[in-house]
Amino acid sequence: MDVLNDKNTSIIGIWGMGGVGKTTLLEEIRRQAGEKKLFDMFFMVTVSQTPNFESIQQKIADMIGLEFTEKTPEAKAERLRWRICEMLKEKKLLFLVDGVWGEIDLEKKVGIPYGENYKGSRIVLTSRSRDVCDQMGCKPTYQVEGLNDDEAWGLFKGIVGEIVESADRKHIAKRIVGKCGGLPLAIKAVANPLKEKSLSHWEVCISELKGQNLKSVVREALQFSYDYLSKPYAKEMFLLCCLFPEDEVIDIQDLFRLGLGFGLFQNTTTLDTAMAEADVLVDYLKSSSLLLESDREGSVLMHDVIREFAISVASRDKHLFLVGTHQEFICWKRNHAFTRCTAVSLQIDVVPEFPYEWECPELELLKLEGKDKQPLVLPSNIFKRMEKLRVLSMTDIQMMSLPASFEDLKSLRTLCFYKCLLKDISIIGELKNLEILSFCDCDIEELPKEIEKLTNLRFLELTNCKNLRLVPSSVICNLSNLEGLYMRSFSQWKVGKDNASVEDLKKLSSLVALEVCIPNDNLWPDDLVFRNLTRFKISVGDAFYHEDEHLFSHSSKILELKTNTTFKEGFNMLLKIAGVIHIEGTNALHNLNEYNSPLLKCLIIKKCQEMKYAIDTTKSAPLIVFPLLEILEICDMDNLQELYLGMLLRESFGELRKLILKGLPQLMNVWKNPTEHASLQKLRVLGVSCCHKLKSIFSLYMVRDLVQLQEMKVSQCEALEYIIDGERNGDGHENLFPQLNRLELENLPKLQRFMSSLNALATSANCGSGVLEPFFNNQIAFPKLEFMIFSNIDGVREIWTSKFRLEMSFPQLRLLNLGSLLNLTHFWNMNSNENIHMEIVPAVEDNARRLIEFPCLQYITLEKLPIFESFQMGGHALFDGKVAFPSLKRLTLSSVPKLMHVWENMDGPPAHVSLQNLISLDIGYCDTLKNVVSCERDKTMAAAEEIEVGRNTAEVIIFPALETINFHNLPNLTSFFARNGTLFDEKVAFPSLKELNLYGVHKLMHVWENMDGRPAHVSLQNLFSLDIVDCDTLKNVVSCERDKTVAVAEEIEAQGNTTGLIIFPALEVIHFHNLPNLTSFFVENGTLFDEKVAFPNLKQLKLYGVHKLIHVWENMDGRPAHVCLQNLISLDILECDNLKNVVSCEKDKTVAVAGEIEVPGNTTGVIIFPALKMIYFRNLPNLTSFFAGNGTLIDEKVAFPSLKQLKLYGVHKLIHVWENMDGRPAHVSLQNLISLDILDCDTLKNVVSCERDKTVTVTGEIEVRGNTTGVIICPALEMIHFRNLTNLTSFFAGNGTLFDEKVAFPALGSLELGVLNNITELWSPQVQVESFCQVKTIVVEGCSKLLQIVPPRLLQIGIETITVKRCPSVKSLFVLERLAVDEREASLTFYHLKYLMVCGLPKLEYIFDKKVSAISQRFFVPVGLRNVSNRKRRNKILVCTLYERRALLVRHSPNIFLQLIKLNNVVDKAKNYGKTKARRKLCPYGFYM
């Protein structure tokens, strides 16, 4: 357990052979860590030999309340990782990963982050192999070697009993235990069968345990346990469990269905008794230690070692079970194993090639399990030779139809589909002997009518088939032998003439199990009464939503009624036998006397407005009411006055564990004199809300019964004054709530105190004299309370009395959340004259102070406390020297306007004992906060240690564990400690700080102070993210008032430069937003980063609204100012009005950061951003270049070899983006560029400067016939978006053509252009197809001089979508006139074009500029043509759309002349149609003018 507390440990490995107890050890770690409160949440998952990562992800997501919208496992892993990272900011999480068989990247595959960057995350994994632990990076690793002799004897004796101590058995027992080798699995396997067995059985056991090694011992022990299974069908049921995937939760209902079809339960006569027999067998196998309990109700688990044994048993002799994946399937085919097998379970990861026929004459059970509903096509004759097949189960498979040989399965008894997508399954109707048919969680829309032929069907399941719309009435009516019908997801009763009606259920006279959901009680016939149901889940009315699905686990008889009429006879019958009842909206229910069933476990009553008393015994003798009821919820009943009226016997409500009362405005009492009438000793959860006449919740008599109460939530009770009415006694009740763990009190405007007292008059007098009555007095104790949440309680002015004994009253408190307590001024008054009971903290440096200590309190949240000032009355800071929180991890203060300081500065440590474990500090909207630590005293304090810096031995206040600081909207905060306008000076240190967020700290001038020593900068070494927003007065991040800079960790040596640097070694993210006075990070020279600061790991830099900034980096002869560049990935600069250059160009010599890029004839050093992938510049009116100041953004002195995305919006002084050179450096940025967006750059003339004669080859030359000119290539560019570039003349050449033969974008897929007023054509006629071979989408809008769209050479490149709007000069879309006739015909083979939209082209005359004589059979769809102004021109335009039957419909104009073109054969037919309707029949997808 000590290792789990080690911050340097992230993943721990436990290894050992199967059955040695690794899983049990994990469960024990979870239990002990929970008891010791080492972690906030625990996650236990099983990986198995064939991991199902999505299942693991879903299990973790369910535990943290995360719903996935992502589809792929990778996307889910990333979402889960992000969510867990957010949780780790304030919580510690322990992941227990069981059964790892090989190396797995848990972060990428599952989404579990771990490592040194996630200190709050721990992983403990188990494996059979130490090598796997090493591969997973486990440090440390532990081997589990089994139990020692005493432990093994204790386990065996605990199972078998004291009989092992008898003289005739002890020596045999010792030998048996010794043979088991200390393996818990083996000991349990032999011990359970020996219980209550004679001595001869013990002797047989010792003779059968002959193994020479531990593996054989385990096998022999399991064999002994298996052989001693004496119940009928127990062995068969055990072997069926091995057919399920490893470590999968096995649903008992699934076992039942497989077992019944496989021939088990033949001694039962009804389905109900067979289900009960299955439950009994599963319990028997669990008691034999061959199956394990599962967390999920109604399911079990099988240990992987036991599963291996079961497979080996099932695979031998006459059983011959085959269990495996598609790889084993290949071996089975090769070895002809199918010919002898009786059962096959096949997990399909990839679709195998099934043989045309399976030679499986003995096969009785086939289980196929796919993945992600993968399509599966079975050969038509695959089932031809499976004459004995009785059970067929398919999971997670998509099947359009079932094979024809399905009808040959004459022996089939059970057919199950799970999570399958099914279409045509009508052939199922031929399976005349079918008894069980299940479609669980299937995507199926219609149940085939042919199922009505299955007259022997006993069980039909349609559970969770959410898309099911049609169940033919004849199907239900004809299944007269049906005993079980499960179809809760079907709601279309009597919808349409063919759908089933509830009336049809009357035909099912053998029905004993029924699950249905009926949307309206009117659909239930008056004479429909089920007298034989033993299992049911029936919902009548609108769909019910349950926050607690665990309700359904309380009984197999569940009835939900939402009706406003008198209960029908059928409902009354079910109400008397149900175990779970939910009634809502009826006015016919006056009390629950009639339904006082001893079988009832859960009762929910809602909106029954005629009910005044839930129980009324005034007209009868006292009753025992609901003796086994565990959950009672009564909600939204306007007239309910009391829960009961009259007398109840003591046994009433004796098992009640959860009581919820909500929306009962007339309720006078929660419980009336319970000691006389009923007992609530087992009540664990109490919730009371919206009960506006309640003045108290409990009387003292009731409280004495609440010894098991764990959770209490009271909210929105307008008249509530006290929680406990203590009017009959004044004191002496310290342990009234010995088990209470969580207390929530919210929206209680009149609540004054937790407990009233006899001193009401004195209290009133005290209040009148200004003496406050505390909320808790010394009468109440909560020894196990961990969570206390108060909100919107106006009457609370003081929390604790000065007499309270904290070590007795709140010793376990972990979370304190107080919000909207408008009159709370402090927590307690320590200045009173009463005796104060406090804990004594040991002396520190001979300075002993008496402290009130909250030893376990980890989370404090104070919000919206308008007059709150401090913990104790009269204090100057929130925390002073009289209170301590040694376990505090997170402190959140929001809207506490009178708070001036958080901690008091003292000469001794008591006020700062709260700092040692603090991880997160969040302070916002505290208007008067001046300092976090009060600076009123002269001498500062060292909380834990001193940091020595050179000759500096100044004492420093240290927050050793603090990782996150969030300050927002603190208008008067001047510093953390010193009141000098600098947030952090030399007197505070945060060695673990990772994230610093400052929003709206308006009086801040600097964040860190510049010093000759290190203390002020010790906070930098682990800083990961720096976010500063809306700090109006901030001038520098690091104060530049001193001359000498500080070396925090090291010096970076640059050529001729040994100046010490301020280094942020771990900083990856910088975000500065709306900092109008920020001039630089350190030196006030208009350059953000100069040679005196360095960020070697900086990855993201975002600057927004930093208006005084002129440069981002300083250009130097040495490297230091550019050490920030090597890992930079993203650079965003927005709304910086005065920015001229990103890198200052004031010096002559450029700097080589990482190296020089050699260009022929060029050895100039280049500033390289080697990792930069994304540049986003927006609204930078004075930016002229990245470096040189010449109007070209990127010249030969900067390079971005990893750049993928470039966005330039509103950079108005830009003339070119790249400079054209004889060498490569300026264009090295193009090789990985994927996306190029340039918008609103008024002065841009060319993307690449064309001032030099010779073009540059970046990666090579594209050979063009007769042309060997070098071409500028962007080999990865996929998307271009240009808009509002009014002076752009070309990409490169400056001649009005956007792209000429000297540029090539072979990966370009999308081209979007808007308002390019100087472009006359998009491509020159000489452009090569290879240069733009991947273009799929072209969008052109508002280009006033553009004449045509697609040149002849590009007609066959695969364009799919063309949109042209508001281009007034365009005359034709496709240019053919420069092509020869044969080329023209070839060019018109449009294999890919799907969409053409033309709008606002007044001069358009032709789609093609020449007449088209033939059109290929594959053309585009749909086509739109709008706003072609000249009617005569429109008449010449061909608009084509694909017709349904692979023909083309060609329409010329509104003259409605139609030309029908068949496949590869032109046939002209001229017809006149006068109605648009007639035209639409011919052209169903067309647009009409």
Side-chain angles (χ1 to χ4, degrees), residues 520 789 907 1310 1483:
N520 193 314
I789 302 171
D907 295 338
S1310 175
C1483 186

Side-chain angles (χ1 to χ4, degrees), residues 1163-1408:
T1163 58
T1164 305
V1166 178
I1167 299 174
I1168 305 178
F1169 292 73
L1172 190 63
K1173 295 180 180 180
M1174 191 260 194
I1175 295 176
Y1176 180 22
F1177 292 168
R1178 191 182 79 189
N1179 291 348
L1180 305 176
N1182 287 296
L1183 182 70
T1184 58
S1185 74
F1186 205 93
F1187 177 71
N1190 57 2
T1192 299
L1193 184 66
I1194 302 170
D1195 62 7
E1196 77 278 7
K1197 295 181 179 181
V1198 290
F1200 312 96
S1202 300
L1203 188 65
K1204 292 185 176 181
Q1205 188 173 7
L1206 177 61
K1207 292 183 178 182
L1208 305 174
Y1209 297 175
V1211 187
H1212 297 298
K1213 289 189 176 182
L1214 200 62
I1215 300 174
H1216 312 291
V1217 180
W1218 283 276
E1219 184 179 48
N1220 177 31
M1221 299 170 54
D1222 296 338
R1224 295 185 189 174
H1227 303 284
V1228 75
S1229 311
L1230 307 183
Q1231 59 190 6
N1232 290 302
L1233 190 67
I1234 294 175
S1235 174
L1236 177 61
D1237 289 72
I1238 308 177
L1239 283 73
D1240 302 317
C1241 295
D1242 305 339
T1243 58
L1244 189 72
K1245 293 183 178 181
N1246 309 100
V1247 179
V1248 178
S1249 165
C1250 57
E1251 295 177 3
R1252 304 198 182 193
D1253 295 330
K1254 190 173 180 180
T1255 60
V1256 183
T1257 304
V1258 180
T1259 57
E1261 293 183 355
I1262 296 181
E1263 293 186 5
V1264 182
R1265 188 169 20 179
N1267 180 11
T1268 58
T1269 306
V1271 178
I1272 298 175
I1273 306 176
C1274 297
L1277 188 63
E1278 297 177 3
M1279 194 277 285
I1280 292 177
H1281 181 197
F1282 293 167
R1283 178 172 290 275
N1284 291 332
L1285 308 179
T1286 53
N1287 284 297
L1288 184 72
T1289 57
S1290 74
F1291 196 93
F1292 176 68
N1295 56 3
T1297 299
L1298 186 60
F1299 305 121
D1300 61 9
E1301 69 277 10
K1302 294 182 179 181
V1303 294
F1305 312 121
L1308 186 67
S1310 175
L1311 176 64
E1312 186 173 344
L1313 308 173
V1315 194
L1316 309 183
N1317 294 331
N1318 286 313
I1319 300 299
T1320 57
E1321 59 181 355
L1322 301 184
W1323 286 277
S1324 71
Q1326 291 77 30
V1327 72
Q1328 298 301 302
V1329 174
E1330 294 86 351
S1331 300
F1332 296 89
C1333 57
Q1334 296 296 324
V1335 176
K1336 296 291 186 292
T1337 300
I1338 299 176
V1339 178
V1340 183
E1341 184 176 355
C1343 298
S1344 58
K1345 295 182 180 181
L1346 191 65
L1347 300 176
Q1348 52 85 18
I1349 306 300
V1350 183
R1353 292 183 183 274
L1354 299 185
L1355 288 176
Q1356 297 184 64
I1357 62 175
I1359 301 173
E1360 296 179 356
T1361 300
I1362 298 178
T1363 300
V1364 185
K1365 297 180 180 180
R1366 295 188 295 279
C1367 296
S1369 299
V1370 170
K1371 294 183 178 181
S1372 63
L1373 300 184
F1374 308 105
V1375 180
L1376 302 180
E1377 64 179 354
R1378 298 168 186 166
L1379 292 179
V1381 175
D1382 56 341
E1383 292 177 315
R1384 191 180 308 158
E1385 297 296 339
S1387 297
L1388 276 176
T1389 307
F1390 287 89
Y1391 286 104
H1392 302 283
L1393 192 59
K1394 297 177 181 178
Y1395 179 87
L1396 172 63
M1397 168 58 72
V1398 180
C1399 177
L1401 310 182
K1403 293 185 179 180
L1404 183 66
E1405 296 181 358
Y1406 299 99
I1407 298 291
F1408 308 99

